[in-house]
Amino acid sequence: MKGKKIILGITGSIAAYKAAYLVRAFIKKGAEVQVVITPAGKEFITPVTLSALTGKPVISEFFTANDGTWHSHVDLGLWADAMVIAPATASTIGKMANGIADNMLITTYLSAKAPVFIAPAMDLDMFAHPTTQHNLDLLRSYGNHIIEPGVGELASHLEGKGRMEEPDKIVEVLERFLASRCDLAGKKIVVTAGPTYEKIDPVRFIGNYSSGKMGFALAEECAERGADVVLIAGPVSQKTVHRSIRRIDVESAREMYDVALSEYPTADAAIMCAAVADYAPEHYSDMKIKRSSDDMILRLRPNPDIAAALGKMKRDNQVLAGFALETDHEEEHALSKMKRKNLDFIVLNSLKDEGAGFRCDTNKVTILKSDGEQIPFDMKPKKEVAADIVSVLGKYLK
Ligand code: C5P
């Protein structure tokens, strides 16, 4: 849990008093906790207790009273490694299931990209009610994790199912989940991303439309799973977020080649996602080339193939993956590239698929493995495509 960022959502149930213990347990494990509490939650536990334990002001309202500061639920949602709602009342569960975003906790939930865990706490009949069960089923179907309540004496003095799971058990669930997301801990992974620019003169270059989005998503995904990532990036406007990414900016294929060859020997794997220019001008002109009425011939020379060079130096315990962006005879071309470059697998995307390839936020890929297995995927956001690719990579690194 060390360094993990957790949003703890607290709602208006008597079990809210256990949230103080839950915060302590998370912090003892090295996590950072930001509490978001509903207005009813504050009736059960005071924000002062929670902010003293977390070392952060508790967020409850969209605006901070008096000074008009607006709390961005979007930033908060993106900040977290996990969101936990404990205790979760029937009301909050109903609002979450139906997108009724009338408080800071629900807007944060709707903006959160991180996995969400819900620990219901309520009276047995409320919990058993078909509405509550239906809402929980809905939340499950959206990919949320429900931490089932226990059976025992409830605040109403009735006995039954509805007691919030004990804080230590909730921490255990999170620990197990986050550890399984750390399958690449201790691994060094090199990722190339973006286009390369091959200079013609001080103002002109040969380039391509690669945005770097896919490669940057791969770098973030590897880092989120615990890897130390070296991201060798061509000229792009993408930003890196994760602290475990060491970014090295390059411009030309030659520069990318030099960095890749010096980093790969100490790496466990490399994913070649860059759209490297195949040719560069034979001569670079120090002066801006002047316009004339004659035809102009630019002589080009092949660039080194970075993936093929890494394929030659690859050791048995190293993994190498590449990309193939094709317009025709997709599978045939991809398979021959995989062989020629000595890759373990190649990610094929076809420019024929609308929404796939350069500059889009989505991609549709098929992974072709050197053992002959083929894994097709649906059209998805590049972040999810990255997760699919890194899961395949993770199996090689086990
Ligand atoms: O041969 P082609 O360029 O189509 O192969 C694409 C794959 O090879 C991609 O993984 C790309 O990053 C990599 N590549 C490379 N160096 C080059 C050309 C391509 O690493 N000079």
Side-chain angles (χ1 to χ4, degrees), residues 21 36 54 80 138 183 197 201 207 254 275 305 325 382 398:
Y21 187 87
V36 181
T54 58
L138 270 178
D183 54 338
Y197 285 180
D201 69 16
R254 180 37 82 174
D305 188 322
L325 181 66
K382 282 186 173 168
K398 263 208 178 125

Side-chain angles (χ1 to χ4, degrees), residues 133-186:
Q133 289 305 315
H134 175 69
N135 286 334
L136 286 170
D137 284 343
L138 270 178
L139 289 172
R140 260 188 218 103
S141 75
Y142 301 149
N144 298 292
H145 306 260
I146 312 298
I147 303 176
E148 288 292 324
V151 178
E153 194 188 341
L154 304 166
S156 58
H157 303 298
L158 295 173
E159 290 258 343
K161 186 169 179 178
R163 281 170 66 95
M164 185 179 88
E165 182 54 288
E166 291 307 322
D168 285 334
K169 285 272 168 50
I170 295 177
V171 173
E172 243 179 72
V173 170
L174 264 285
E175 240 182 338
R176 236 181 294 126
F177 180 85
L178 293 170
S180 74
R181 292 267 307 156
C182 269
D183 54 338
L184 300 181

Side-chain angles (χ1 to χ4, degrees), residues 192 272-278 303-307 321-324 326 337 340-341:
T192 65
M272 306 277 97
C273 189
V276 185
D278 289 324
N303 271 329
D305 188 322
I306 306 167
F323 273 71
E326 305 293 338
K337 271 176 202 176
R340 186 158 31 89
K341 300 177 194 233

Side-chain angles (χ1 to χ4, degrees), residues 92-149:
T92 288
I93 287 169
K95 286 182 190 178
M96 287 170 76
N98 294 286
I100 301 170
D102 66 350
N103 66 42
M104 192 64 190
L105 194 154
I106 311 289
T107 49
T108 305
Y109 159 69
L110 290 174
S111 307
K113 289 256 194 268
V116 177
F117 295 79
I118 301 161
M122 64 198 78
D123 205 42
L124 72 161
D125 296 316
M126 284 177 94
F127 184 72
H129 197 283
T131 310
T132 310
Q133 289 305 315
H134 175 69
N135 286 334
L136 286 170
D137 284 343
L138 270 178
L139 289 172
R140 260 188 218 103
S141 75
Y142 301 149
N144 298 292
H145 306 260
I146 312 298
I147 303 176
E148 288 292 324

